[in-house]
Amino acid sequence: MGLYAAVCRRRLAAIVSGDEGEQLQQGADLQDARFSTALSASTGSFKINGVEIAWDATTDSIQNVITRINASGANVTATYDSFNDKMNLVADAMGSTAITLEDVTGNLLASTGLLAATQTLGANASYKING
């Protein structure tokens, strides 16, 4: 008799290519990061799964923001894939619930492309018992 289960995480990925196809500058201050959509403010905040995270374009880099997201209680893991020039959010929990995103002030999530990205939802657990 065998028992197996399959569960997938939900995932959100966004291409964040910079101006004229230039790659995003991950270590640069946000104001110099080369987003294809310019930031609308020098400071702001956004929410991921209801958890608010502040940013400052003059002192924070993409890597700082990623670190802040990962240390927050938003229950996601953020990464930047420099090879594909994509920012990724992966839910820490399993299942098919979407990751919620909101620019509270400023437009950092919109500038990274995450707000417009299509989410790939995970699957709820499925079990099969063989006799």
Side-chain angles (χ1 to χ4, degrees):
M1 185 182 295
L3 170 68
Y4 69 88
V7 182
C8 299
R9 288 188 190 182
R10 50 198 181 262
R11 180 180 187 91
L12 178 64
I15 298 174
V16 291
S17 296
D19 294 329
E20 299 173 17
E22 293 178 352
Q23 190 170 21
L24 186 73
Q25 298 300 305
Q26 172 178 356
D29 290 340
L30 294 173
Q31 65 187 1
D32 300 321
R34 298 185 187 157
F35 294 114
S36 56
T37 301
L39 292 173
S40 63
S42 60
T43 61
S45 66
F46 58 88
K47 288 183 181 180
I48 300 177
N49 292 332
V51 176
E52 191 163 346
I53 299 166
W55 55 270
D56 184 323
T58 62
T59 58
D60 285 326
S61 66
I62 286 293
Q63 191 56 52
N64 296 131
V65 173
I66 287 171
T67 300
R68 203 168 294 134
I69 291 168
N70 292 339
S72 75
N75 295 317
V76 297
T77 300
T79 58
Y80 173 68
D81 175 355
S82 60
F83 183 74
N84 292 306
D85 196 26
K86 287 186 179 183
M87 190 157 176
N88 299 291
L89 293 178
V90 178
D92 294 338
M94 304 293 179
S96 64
T97 305
I99 297 169
T100 61
L101 301 170
E102 173 189 358
D103 272 323
V104 176
T105 57
N107 67 332
L108 182 61
L109 291 181
S111 292
T112 63
L114 286 170
L115 278 183
T118 302
Q119 293 192 40
T120 303
L121 298 179
N124 288 321
S126 61
Y127 296 91
K128 182 175 183 180
I129 299 174
N130 297 346

